[in-house]
Amino acid sequence: MGVGKELKRVDAYEKVTGGAKYVADLAPKDLLVAKVVHSTIANGVVKSFDLEEALKVPGVVKIVTCFEVPDIQFPTPGHPWSVEAAHQDVSDRKLLNTRVRVYGDDIAAVIADNEIAANRAARLVKVEYEVYEPLLTTDEAMAEGAATLHEEKPGNVLVHSSFQLGDMTYDQALEEEPSLHVIERTYETQTVQHCHLEVPVSYAYMANDKIVVTSSTQIPHIVRRVIGQALGIPWGQIRVIKPYIGGGFGNKQDVLYEPLNAFLCTQVGGRGVRLELTREETLACTRVRHAIKFHVKGAVRDDGTLVARKFEAYSNQGGYASHGHAIVANAANGFKQLYHEEKALESDSYTVYTNITVGGAMRGYGIPQSDFAAECLAEDLANAIGMDPLEFRFKNCMPEGYVDPHTKVKFNSYGLKKCMEKGRDYINWDEKRKEYADQTGPVRRGVGMAIFCYKTGVYPISLETASCRMILNQDGSIQLQMGATEIGQGADTVFTQMAAEVTGITEDRIYIVSTQDTDISPFDTGAYASRQTYVSGKALKQTAQLLKERILDYASYLLKMPADVLDIEENNVVDKESRECLVTLEALATEAFYSLDRSVHITAESTYHCKENTFSSGACFAEIEVDIPLGKIKVLNIINVHDSGTLINPKLAEAQVHGGMSMGLGYALSEQLLFDKSGRPLNDNLLDYKLPTAMDTPDLHVDFVQLDDPTGPFGNKALGEPPAIPVAPAIRNALLHATGVAVDSLPLDPQKLVSHFKEAGLI
Amino acid sequence: MGVGKELKRVDAYEKVTGGAKYVADLAPKDLLVAKVVHSTIANGVVKSFDLEEALKVPGVVKIVTCFEVPDIQFPTPGHPWSVEAAHQDVSDRKLLNTRVRVYGDDIAAVIADNEIAANRAARLVKVEYEVYEPLLTTDEAMAEGAATLHEEKPGNVLVHSSFQLGDMTYDQALEEEPSLHVIERTYETQTVQHCHLEVPVSYAYMANDKIVVTSSTQIPHIVRRVIGQALGIPWGQIRVIKPYIGGGFGNKQDVLYEPLNAFLCTQVGGRGVRLELTREETLACTRVRHAIKFHVKGAVRDDGTLVARKFEAYSNQGGYASHGHAIVANAANGFKQLYHEEKALESDSYTVYTNITVGGAMRGYGIPQSDFAAECLAEDLANAIGMDPLEFRFKNCMPEGYVDPHTKVKFNSYGLKKCMEKGRDYINWDEKRKEYADQTGPVRRGVGMAIFCYKTGVYPISLETASCRMILNQDGSIQLQMGATEIGQGADTVFTQMAAEVTGITEDRIYIVSTQDTDISPFDTGAYASRQTYVSGKALKQTAQLLKERILDYASYLLKMPADVLDIEENNVVDKESRECLVTLEALATEAFYSLDRSVHITAESTYHCKENTFSSGACFAEIEVDIPLGKIKVLNIINVHDSGTLINPKLAEAQVHGGMSMGLGYALSEQLLFDKSGRPLNDNLLDYKLPTAMDTPDLHVDFVQLDDPTGPFGNKALGEPPAIPVAPAIRNALLHATGVAVDSLPLDPQKLVSHFKEAGLI
């Protein structure tokens, strides 16, 4: 019972049979339909609309344009609110924008009584623009004379941040030791999208002075707050309901279209309005993983000691700030936290507004990008001195007990080297490195690896706070209400196990309330930053202890025994010593409800304010086969080994790693959202955007190093995001091993490989 | 702010505009439809079914018969559960019954994918019965040799209970004082139905191992329990959701069709099934107000002193126990509690199974019946000695400080005599009594009156327990979650006012969660027995105090001031003495949520176990005009004067009295559910069942005597049911005054009056 058990997902049956209710299942019959009118330029200003033809479409109820929305700029990212203005997110967009900064910017919305009318009318809205040159890259946007996209940020740099560690600069370190081997390279990651199965969808109506929004989101409580900000109304007047959702991966950690949906329902007298994006809109108009260009340098001694590194990152933010600089700042931290430099680390990060699709949160939050840079650099440094790259990492990776000098986040438990050992053994590293050393011919093989580390939640950068409520039923079962959200990752299942672990009530009698409703659910900031099993888990543990105390207090009254000699085990109140059953929980609960002497409905609710953090870590090892003439990589064998502390549910943990590895493979090999010169997305659909299918995916192997983390509520720490991080650099490094060709940008697709192989003289 | 204010109903706008969601509005699109097959005999046994034709109807999914349901008998009444078997309700029916005891008994159910198919198939189900003689009256059912309807109760008497007060029997009192004036009469009340606007409707489906039932009920937590009992599954596996409902009046304090609906969804793999009754089914197959025959006797001295009374009641229970004997026991208590006898009170009550529609809870719970008996008797006793009937009541009614000898319920506040004074003055009693004393001619006028008293909730007969939860939002507003239910009576509005009163938060910032969901709502037994403002109000008051304490505790931390010098007023934390604003609740709440030092999501939840009760009381005065040849009564003027303690919302209180008086007028003048010899309802539709319309209803006058009740949470006590009680006897007594004709049964409809007037020689 409880933690460590491979409990079947509590939502498995419903999800498999179609019983689980998503937004579309819950939508009432009589909703109006809204359709957003998107700009057909990437940079410019809306001058005027001609709505005549659009308004003639039968079924059109109302058209709202960017000239009619509240003059309020609001932020969209799913961060905890800060009471200090300096720490609040950037407010740089309105519900509908007159100043267009993205191809597909939201400039008007049609409300109609059916989908077809809404679509037709949206197409018939005529727009007059003042058109500016689109700025698609960070270089273009930072170039002298480039147009300013947001008045508040002349020069288009949203934030530039830098830090330096060690007693000297990178250059001083090089001066001091001229014998150092130096690598200077530019590594680049591409724009990719989350491609969750369920597109963003919500519906909104007014009831009893509240705007009720049901949405597919990871962060219902934050959606509530941002709607309040965007509409300029008190937050208590908004109610957000989150049912099951079909994936999020960070895209639903942005408050995308809920504020507009809420506003639109107020424009039709509070009637229900549905706003569902198409796949094309989802790819072009929601959020993407930032393309980041890294200029990095590293210096290493003959013996493999890493002496100094320098990190420069240019993050392509797109048209609006969204999670903005938090992501490239996190990327810089990730670069920093991976290796120890003997002398110097310099870091400069720039987040740059451009006119492409907006970058936001996506599984790993900047770390998949910086891990690519860090792990390409590590590989290239090891190669430069002829050292085994795994040995290089054993030598230079962050040591046990490492404390981040800025955030003070610590490796409270440390399994990184054990992960590397397990991966090495699994892939037959030493043997394969030798075996594939000197190949010729068109088809060659290689092994590569990469490591990562990843913090757990956002403390101390941001607030970590979570609440939980539990309700005892008459039959001794309980409801478990979390503010934390199930987004497909299995949160509901592991929370159920945690509750069983603490209360002594078996999982079959624990009913988690999967839907969050901001009017009644405990508060929690939501599913992101791999925080929930750690932070929300602490709230759960504390609340479960409180519930247990209250049950034992009632048992003490019933049994006329002191509470401290009692315990709960398998749904019975037992003698703590003998473990003998004294009363069933069912009998106790029924008595507590209906006692004529002392009736009490036992519940517990509490907040946990988390002021701790810890690092997870791990490694990916991949063996690949490269068809040089075709430029095609085939993954023969791949394993992720993770140190995520104690696993609450090993089977679900494995599934989580599978999902992340699959995402990592798409990132490594095929995915990229492309834009034409005007800033229009070229492949904003799942035919042209090359998401790997089941046919493209090799067998995925997973292993864990389970070390109890002393700060985790159950010895656990971050697991959700990390699996996506190390796959791409591991494959890039395997490619280097197989062919001797270092490809420094993602994805490693055939077109790019063929061109590199040609350059290298392999074909 | 708060208590005593005429706040507009919090649900007014939504209900007027059609925005409020009822069961039918919430029902998903893809529900299957169930239709119950009812017996076409009133007494007998189902021998077999022929389903061949029914199963051929396209769209039929499944037919379940009484031979296929669990072999479990369960109770239906909405009483708090008792852990003592002796106090549990009578379990005498199954989900579908083989032994038929009512015309229209539930014997099978059709599930189809549309309403038309379900109805067609239900009509095509062929049934073979063994038919017994129907027993329609208590006399028939108690007659020697009558067939036994329930094996457990040979002789068909469900319960016979009796008590005696005073030092002697009624007969001994008469023997002791042969000069006493004696009245012996039989008073009879008829079968009526609640006629709530919304018929019983529910839908059920399975999700994550739970059966989820959304139902129009007054008692969601009890519905959950009874479904568990009926299906033989743990109660925690059932979730009941109660949205707005279109009236209940006690009929929805019985667990009518929810268990069958829950069972049916389990028979189609957990798919959603809707079960909605027709109006005809509602009248014939749900619950009615018990017809009761009273044999009563009274003895009075020349000076008007009431010396002794004897009460004998035969309650026509119909085919199943439902609320059964609790109602006639309450009736007997009501008879007892109204007058003080100098020497003796004897009481015998019989609840008798028959084959008519089942009697259950209805506004007043037996008291409208016994008040008719008590107030006819009082009138007839007064007349017998030539005493003014109002004077008789002033002289003999229960005195201030009366304590019920059985229940110990007390008049903790006492406004009965003041109510009589107010009514007397309003109607010009003394003048009109004289003016109408000696009339002749076909149209005559009269004034009559009746008093009542009524306890508040069910303590100590049953458990009184209630919980409440409150949640502070970031803007300083709160959600208020009650287990107690809004059933049209205005509960949500008065709870909002109570919360404002205690917390210092204004009503516009208090959002009551109107929907109850047994998975997450606090526990409460529900809306019945005029208990909620009193019992649930105490839970609310206690919880609001707790919330306020927690807010002030946080304020104390923020302001660095002791909590006991702080208070909350109009959404601000103020200095208790100077009333100066120290911090707005909005600023405090936002800080509490997002503080990096001390983040806490302030909520409060608590149970109140109520071990008190008190009496409400009041009087009705009516002036009528009787058209003797037409047998028609016209109500010229009518007033109810109530002592319900402090009124939370005088305007809503008045509306509540209006509704009750209107129900009383139907009871007095026109309503009666009739049965033919076979037990088949004759007028089970709203054309033939004579519910008064707006055109039939005179102006209704209401007044109150507001005395603070020291046991009420805000000085308040019962108000919901009492208004319906005294109207019928007041009109019967006015008729007696106008015509000299004492009609001893209800309703006072033209047919009956003409026959009485003929008998009396008036026509």
Side-chain angles (χ1 to χ4, degrees):
Chain A
M1 189 172 77
V3 164
K5 183 171 154 182
E6 300 201 332
L7 185 72
K8 191 183 76 184
R9 282 184 74 112
V10 296
D11 49 6
Y13 182 84
E14 292 307 312
K15 286 191 169 171
V16 167
T17 57
K21 306 279 182 212
Y22 295 79
V23 173
D25 300 305
L26 295 168
K29 293 151 237 183
D30 54 352
L31 294 177
L32 298 172
V33 177
K35 207 71 216 167
V36 178
V37 178
H38 298 287
S39 71
T40 52
I41 63 165
N43 192 7
V45 175
V46 176
K47 304 306 290 177
S48 66
F49 289 96
D50 174 355
L51 303 179
E52 200 182 335
E53 292 303 311
L55 285 168
K56 279 186 195 157
V57 175
V60 169
V61 174
K62 181 147 192 168
I63 299 178
V64 180
T65 75
C66 56
F67 301 118
E68 292 141 25
V69 296
D71 187 20
I72 297 173
Q73 301 215 131
F74 65 92
T76 63
H79 290 143
W81 180 241
S82 173
V83 285
E84 292 160 44
H87 291 117
Q88 290 168 5
D89 290 304
V90 179
S91 294
D92 66 355
R93 65 159 294 157
K94 297 181 189 170
L95 289 167
L96 297 166
N97 296 306
T98 305
R99 176 69 175 90
V100 168
R101 288 134 176 155
V102 184
Y103 190 101
D105 211 338
D106 311 321
I107 56 173
V110 175
I111 306 169
D113 59 20
N114 67 80
E115 186 98 27
I116 292 164
N119 275 316
R120 262 190 74 196
R123 280 195 303 271
L124 290 171
V125 168
K126 290 181 194 142
V127 192
E128 193 196 348
Y129 298 101
E130 185 176 322
V131 186
Y132 309 145
E133 191 66 28
L135 307 172
L136 305 184
T137 66
T138 54
D139 290 344
E140 284 170 20
M142 290 172 84
E144 209 157 323
T148 290
L149 299 184
H150 291 267
E151 277 174 22
E152 305 82 355
K153 294 289 169 188
N156 298 325
V157 174
L158 177 59
V159 186
H160 167 211
S161 64
S162 52
F163 63 83
Q164 189 184 317
L165 293 179
D167 299 330
M168 59 188 77
T169 65
Y170 177 83
D171 287 338
Q172 287 168 339
L174 260 58
E175 274 171 38
E176 217 174 66
E177 281 190 69
S179 62
L180 290 175
H181 301 266
V182 172
I183 291 286
E184 296 191 15
R185 294 185 88 102
T186 297
Y187 302 112
E188 275 185 272
T189 63
Q190 79 278 38
T191 299
V192 295
Q193 220 263 346
H194 315 71
C195 300
H196 32 74
L197 198 60
E198 183 195 36
V199 292
V201 55
S202 58
Y203 62 88
Y205 58 89
M206 294 193 68
N208 291 337
D209 299 333
K210 286 208 176 194
I211 302 177
V212 185
V213 182
T214 302
S215 178
S216 176
T217 178
Q218 302 172 216
I219 47 166
H221 275 102
I222 293 177
V223 170
R224 177 195 218 186
R225 184 252 296 171
V226 175
I227 293 174
Q229 292 182 274
L231 273 64
I233 58 175
W235 306 352
Q237 282 176 25
I238 300 130
R239 176 180 169 203
V240 175
I241 297 168
K242 177 232 157 265
Y244 283 122
I245 80 169
F249 305 114
N251 203 24
K252 294 175 185 168
Q253 192 207 340
D254 236 66
V255 185
L256 296 166
Y257 283 93
E258 294 94 341
L260 180 60
N261 194 358
F263 176 72
L264 293 178
C265 95
T266 69
Q267 299 304 294
V268 289
R271 288 179 68 187
V273 175
R274 177 164 63 87
L275 203 171
E276 179 169 358
L277 299 199
T278 60
R279 179 62 65 186
E280 289 73 11
E281 286 176 292
T282 305
L283 278 154
C285 309
T286 65
R287 299 289 175 264
V288 293
R289 191 189 289 289
H290 294 77
I292 306 184
K293 184 191 279 188
F294 300 94
H295 299 306
V296 294
K297 303 180 183 178
V300 67
R301 288 202 193 104
D302 282 337
D303 69 353
T305 305
L306 183 63
V307 177
R309 289 190 299 163
K310 185 165 181 171
F311 174 88
E312 218 171 69
Y314 297 87
S315 177
N316 190 331
Q317 180 54 53
Y320 295 98
S322 176
H323 285 256
H325 198 64
I327 284 170
V328 74
N330 203 42
N333 274 330
F335 189 87
K336 168 187 73 182
Q337 288 152 354
L338 210 51
Y339 290 101
H340 171 76
E341 301 85 5
E342 199 181 281
K343 294 193 175 166
L345 171 63
E346 277 184 74
S347 171
D348 279 275
S349 308
Y350 299 84
T351 296
V352 187
Y353 278 128
T354 67
N355 293 122
I356 70 161
T357 299
V358 178
M362 185 170 168
R363 199 177 195 171
Y365 210 77
I367 306 290
Q369 292 100 311
S370 68
D371 198 66
F372 182 71
E375 287 300 83
C376 289
L377 179 66
E379 194 79 9
D380 295 348
L381 284 168
N383 280 348
I385 55 168
M387 189 175 192
D388 177 87
L390 178 57
E391 199 191 329
F392 178 85
R393 287 171 173 94
F394 272 116
K395 190 174 176 74
N396 292 296
C397 72
M398 277 304 173
E400 189 154 4
Y402 167 71
V403 180
D404 181 293
H406 299 115
T407 63
K408 311 300 176 201
V409 176
K410 190 178 161 188
F411 267 116
N412 290 299
S413 54
Y414 185 79
L416 176 56
K417 287 189 177 173
K418 286 208 176 71
C419 289
M420 286 196 270
E421 287 163 10
K422 276 197 166 185
R424 175 192 67 199
D425 296 347
Y426 172 82
I427 212 88
N428 287 320
W429 178 263
D430 296 335
E431 194 178 303
K432 294 279 169 75
R433 287 295 290 190
K434 274 178 214 143
E435 184 184 341
Y436 301 150
D438 302 295
Q439 296 168 86
T440 52
V443 178
R444 301 184 197 171
R445 292 184 172 191
V447 289
M449 55 85 62
I451 59 171
F452 72 91
C453 79
Y454 200 76
K455 66 181 175 16
T456 306
V458 299
Y459 178 83
I461 310 286
S462 276
L463 172 68
E464 278 297 8
T465 180
S467 285
C468 169
R469 177 174 177 240
M470 293 181 181
I471 305 149
L472 181 66
N473 297 321
Q474 293 97 326
D475 61 356
S477 63
I478 60 170
Q479 266 81 248
L480 166 56
Q481 249 186 310
M482 298 294 291
T485 58
E486 167 69 58
I487 60 167
Q489 82 281 50
D492 283 354
T493 305
V494 297
F495 289 143
T496 301
Q497 290 178 252
M498 290 177 180
E501 178 76 23
V502 182
T503 59
I505 298 169
T506 53
E507 283 92 349
D508 58 319
R509 299 196 187 182
I510 295 172
Y511 300 105
I512 189 154
V513 177
S514 188
T515 297
Q516 278 71 38
D517 176 337
T518 57
D519 261 13
I520 47 179
S521 296
F523 183 86
D524 191 297
T525 46
Y528 57 84
S530 305
R531 59 180 289 279
Q532 291 194 157
T533 54
Y534 187 81
V535 177
S536 310
K538 287 171 187 250
L540 186 155
K541 186 179 183 182
Q542 174 181 279
T543 307
Q545 282 162 342
L546 192 58
L547 185 84
K548 186 174 173 182
E549 255 171 48
R550 289 179 183 169
I551 291 172
L552 292 183
D553 175 61
Y554 202 87
S556 160
Y557 152 77
L558 266 191
L559 299 166
K560 299 181 177 45
M561 292 170 74
D564 59 10
V565 306
L566 304 173
D567 199 0
I568 305 177
E569 184 179 308
E570 301 251 343
N571 312 312
N572 293 317
V573 174
V574 299
D575 181 295
K576 211 177 215 170
E577 292 302 315
S578 70
R579 312 311 286 175
E580 175 205 351
C581 171
L582 301 172
V583 60
T584 66
L585 216 46
E586 177 168 12
L588 177 144
T590 307
E591 184 67 30
F593 268 86
Y594 302 111
S595 166
L596 296 177
D597 261 347
R598 182 178 161 190
S599 164
V600 52
H601 317 129
I602 298 175
T603 66
E605 182 166 8
S606 76
T607 303
Y608 193 92
H609 184 169
C610 179
K611 296 179 180 176
E612 290 179 302
N613 206 328
T614 192
F615 284 115
S616 288
S617 62
C620 174
F621 287 77
E623 179 181 5
I624 66 169
E625 184 174 88
V626 188
D627 185 317
I628 293 171
L630 288 178
K632 201 155 162 45
I633 292 173
K634 184 177 174 190
V635 178
L636 299 174
N637 201 357
I638 187 162
I639 189 168
N640 266 26
V641 189
H642 286 261
D643 164 26
S644 287
T646 300
L647 301 177
I648 310 300
N649 184 321
K651 190 57 92 185
L652 280 188
E654 191 185 341
Q656 185 71 337
V657 179
H658 283 159
M661 291 174 76
S662 158
M663 198 167 243
L665 286 166
Y667 196 48
L669 298 173
S670 61
E671 293 183 48
Q672 180 165 20
L673 187 61
L674 299 161
F675 302 90
D676 72 11
K677 284 180 186 171
S678 72
R680 191 169 69 90
L682 280 167
N683 56 342
D684 53 350
N685 60 75
L686 292 184
L687 185 63
D688 299 317
Y689 180 92
K690 294 297 180 192
L691 197 65
T693 68
M695 297 291 285
D696 300 310
T697 306
D699 281 349
L700 303 171
H701 301 277
V702 180
D703 205 348
F704 294 97
V705 172
Q706 289 202 50
L707 298 168
D708 233 38
D709 190 284
T711 68
F714 301 94
N716 58 299
K717 52 188 183 180
L719 174 61
E721 292 164 286
I725 297 172
V727 175
I731 287 176
R732 179 266 186 192
N733 293 339
L735 172 67
L736 175 59
H737 184 227
T739 64
V741 178
V743 183
D744 293 347
S745 71
L746 292 175
L748 308 170
D749 59 25
Q751 196 170 2
K752 183 181 290 169
L753 293 198
V754 165
S755 123
H756 275 76
F757 293 153
K758 278 186 177 161
E759 219 173 278
L762 293 184
I763 43 181
Chain B
M1 189 172 74
V3 164
K5 184 172 155 181
E6 299 201 334
L7 184 72
K8 192 183 74 183
R9 284 183 73 112
V10 297
D11 49 6
Y13 182 84
E14 291 307 312
K15 287 192 169 172
V16 167
T17 57
K21 306 279 183 213
Y22 295 79
V23 172
D25 299 306
L26 296 167
K29 294 150 234 178
D30 55 352
L31 294 176
L32 299 171
V33 177
K35 207 70 215 168
V36 178
V37 178
H38 299 287
S39 70
T40 52
I41 62 165
N43 192 6
V45 175
V46 176
K47 303 306 289 180
S48 66
F49 289 95
D50 175 355
L51 303 178
E52 200 183 335
E53 293 302 312
L55 285 168
K56 279 185 194 157
V57 175
V60 169
V61 173
K62 180 145 192 168
I63 301 178
V64 180
T65 75
C66 55
F67 301 117
E68 292 142 27
V69 296
D71 187 18
I72 298 173
Q73 302 215 126
F74 65 93
T76 63
H79 290 144
W81 182 241
S82 172
V83 286
E84 292 160 45
H87 292 117
Q88 291 168 5
D89 289 302
V90 178
S91 296
D92 65 354
R93 64 159 296 157
K94 297 180 189 169
L95 289 166
L96 298 166
N97 296 304
T98 306
R99 175 69 176 90
V100 168
R101 287 135 177 154
V102 183
Y103 190 102
D105 212 336
D106 311 321
I107 57 174
V110 175
I111 306 170
D113 59 21
N114 67 79
E115 185 99 26
I116 293 164
N119 275 315
R120 261 191 76 196
R123 280 195 303 271
L124 290 171
V125 169
K126 289 180 196 144
V127 193
E128 193 198 347
Y129 299 101
E130 184 177 322
V131 186
Y132 308 145
E133 191 66 27
L135 308 170
L136 304 184
T137 65
T138 55
D139 289 343
E140 285 170 21
M142 292 173 80
E144 210 158 322
T148 290
L149 299 184
H150 291 267
E151 276 174 24
E152 305 83 356
K153 294 289 169 188
N156 298 325
V157 174
L158 178 58
V159 186
H160 167 211
S161 65
S162 53
F163 64 83
Q164 190 184 320
L165 294 177
D167 300 329
M168 61 188 81
T169 64
Y170 176 82
D171 288 339
Q172 285 168 337
L174 260 56
E175 271 171 41
E176 217 174 66
E177 282 190 69
S179 62
L180 291 175
H181 300 265
V182 173
I183 291 286
E184 297 190 17
R185 294 184 89 103
T186 297
Y187 302 112
E188 275 186 89
T189 63
Q190 79 279 38
T191 299
V192 295
Q193 219 263 347
H194 316 70
C195 299
H196 32 74
L197 200 59
E198 183 195 36
V199 291
V201 55
S202 58
Y203 61 88
Y205 59 87
M206 293 193 70
N208 291 337
D209 298 333
K210 285 209 180 198
I211 303 176
V212 184
V213 182
T214 302
S215 177
S216 175
T217 178
Q218 302 171 217
I219 48 167
H221 275 101
I222 293 177
V223 169
R224 176 194 219 187
R225 183 253 297 172
V226 175
I227 292 174
Q229 292 182 273
L231 273 64
I233 59 175
W235 306 352
Q237 283 176 25
I238 299 129
R239 174 179 169 204
V240 176
I241 297 168
K242 178 231 156 266
Y244 283 122
I245 79 169
F249 305 113
N251 203 25
K252 294 174 186 169
Q253 192 207 342
D254 236 65
V255 185
L256 296 166
Y257 284 93
E258 293 94 342
L260 179 61
N261 193 358
F263 176 72
L264 293 177
C265 94
T266 69
Q267 299 305 294
V268 287
R271 287 180 67 188
V273 176
R274 177 164 64 87
L275 203 171
E276 178 169 358
L277 299 198
T278 61
R279 178 62 65 187
E280 288 74 10
E281 284 176 296
T282 304
L283 278 155
C285 310
T286 64
R287 298 291 175 264
V288 293
R289 190 189 289 290
H290 294 78
I292 306 183
K293 185 192 278 187
F294 300 96
H295 299 306
V296 295
K297 302 178 184 179
V300 65
R301 283 199 199 108
D302 281 339
D303 68 353
T305 306
L306 183 63
V307 177
R309 289 191 302 165
K310 186 165 181 174
F311 174 87
E312 219 171 68
Y314 297 87
S315 177
N316 190 331
Q317 180 54 54
Y320 295 97
S322 175
H323 285 257
H325 199 65
I327 285 171
V328 73
N330 203 41
N333 274 331
F335 189 88
K336 169 186 72 182
Q337 289 152 352
L338 210 49
Y339 292 100
H340 171 75
E341 301 84 5
E342 198 181 283
K343 293 193 175 166
L345 171 64
E346 276 184 73
S347 170
D348 279 275
S349 308
Y350 299 84
T351 297
V352 187
Y353 278 130
T354 67
N355 293 121
I356 69 161
T357 300
V358 178
M362 185 171 169
R363 199 177 196 172
Y365 209 77
I367 307 290
Q369 294 99 309
S370 67
D371 197 66
F372 182 71
E375 288 298 83
C376 289
L377 179 66
E379 193 80 7
D380 295 349
L381 284 168
N383 280 347
I385 54 168
M387 190 175 190
D388 178 89
L390 177 58
E391 197 191 330
F392 179 85
R393 285 168 174 97
F394 273 115
K395 188 176 178 73
N396 292 297
C397 71
M398 278 303 173
E400 190 154 3
Y402 167 71
V403 180
D404 182 294
H406 298 117
T407 63
K408 312 299 176 201
V409 176
K410 189 179 162 187
F411 267 115
N412 290 299
S413 53
Y414 184 80
L416 176 56
K417 288 188 177 173
K418 285 208 177 71
C419 290
M420 286 196 270
E421 287 163 11
K422 276 197 167 184
R424 176 193 66 199
D425 296 347
Y426 173 81
I427 212 90
N428 287 321
W429 178 263
D430 295 333
E431 196 179 301
K432 293 279 168 75
R433 288 295 290 191
K434 272 178 218 144
E435 184 184 341
Y436 300 149
D438 302 295
Q439 296 167 87
T440 54
V443 178
R444 299 184 198 173
R445 293 184 171 191
V447 289
M449 56 84 61
I451 60 171
F452 72 91
C453 80
Y454 199 77
K455 64 184 175 17
T456 305
V458 300
Y459 179 81
I461 309 286
S462 277
L463 173 67
E464 277 297 7
T465 181
S467 284
C468 170
R469 178 174 177 239
M470 293 181 181
I471 304 150
L472 182 66
N473 297 321
Q474 293 97 326
D475 61 357
S477 64
I478 60 171
Q479 268 80 249
L480 166 57
Q481 249 187 313
M482 299 294 292
T485 58
E486 168 69 57
I487 60 166
Q489 82 281 50
D492 282 354
T493 306
V494 297
F495 289 143
T496 301
Q497 292 180 251
M498 289 176 181
E501 178 77 23
V502 182
T503 59
I505 299 169
T506 52
E507 282 94 348
D508 58 319
R509 300 196 187 180
I510 296 172
Y511 301 104
I512 188 154
V513 177
S514 188
T515 297
Q516 278 71 40
D517 176 337
T518 57
D519 262 14
I520 46 179
S521 297
F523 183 85
D524 191 298
T525 47
Y528 57 84
S530 306
R531 59 181 288 281
Q532 291 194 157
T533 53
Y534 186 82
V535 176
S536 310
K538 286 170 187 251
L540 187 155
K541 186 179 182 181
Q542 175 181 280
T543 307
Q545 282 163 343
L546 193 57
L547 184 85
K548 185 174 174 181
E549 256 171 48
R550 289 179 183 169
I551 292 171
L552 292 183
D553 175 61
Y554 202 87
S556 161
Y557 153 78
L558 266 191
L559 299 167
K560 300 181 178 43
M561 292 169 73
D564 60 10
V565 306
L566 304 173
D567 198 0
I568 306 176
E569 184 178 308
E570 299 250 342
N571 311 312
N572 294 316
V573 174
V574 299
D575 181 296
K576 211 178 216 169
E577 292 301 315
S578 70
R579 314 308 289 175
E580 177 205 352
C581 171
L582 302 171
V583 61
T584 66
L585 216 47
E586 178 167 11
L588 177 144
T590 308
E591 184 67 31
F593 268 85
Y594 301 111
S595 166
L596 296 177
D597 261 347
R598 182 179 161 189
S599 165
V600 51
H601 317 129
I602 298 176
T603 66
E605 182 167 9
S606 76
T607 303
Y608 193 92
H609 184 168
C610 178
K611 297 178 181 179
E612 289 178 302
N613 206 327
T614 192
F615 284 114
S616 290
S617 62
C620 174
F621 287 76
E623 181 181 2
I624 66 169
E625 183 173 271
V626 188
D627 185 319
I628 293 171
L630 289 176
K632 203 158 161 41
I633 291 172
K634 184 177 175 190
V635 177
L636 300 175
N637 201 357
I638 186 164
I639 190 168
N640 265 25
V641 189
H642 285 260
D643 164 26
S644 287
T646 300
L647 300 176
I648 310 300
N649 184 321
K651 189 58 91 186
L652 280 188
E654 193 184 339
Q656 185 72 336
V657 179
H658 283 159
M661 289 173 78
S662 158
M663 198 169 244
L665 285 167
Y667 196 47
L669 298 174
S670 61
E671 293 183 48
Q672 180 165 21
L673 187 61
L674 298 161
F675 302 90
D676 72 10
K677 284 180 188 170
S678 73
R680 190 169 70 89
L682 279 167
N683 56 340
D684 52 350
N685 63 74
L686 292 185
L687 184 63
D688 298 318
Y689 180 93
K690 294 298 179 190
L691 197 64
T693 67
M695 297 290 285
D696 299 311
T697 306
D699 282 349
L700 302 171
H701 301 279
V702 180
D703 204 349
F704 294 97
V705 171
Q706 288 203 52
L707 298 168
D708 234 36
D709 190 284
T711 67
F714 300 93
N716 58 300
K717 52 187 182 180
L719 175 62
E721 293 164 286
I725 297 172
V727 175
I731 288 176
R732 180 268 187 191
N733 293 340
L735 172 67
L736 176 58
H737 183 229
T739 63
V741 177
V743 182
D744 292 348
S745 71
L746 292 174
L748 306 170
D749 61 22
Q751 197 170 3
K752 184 182 288 171
L753 293 198
V754 165
S755 124
H756 274 76
F757 293 154
K758 276 187 180 161
E759 218 173 278
L762 293 183
I763 44 179

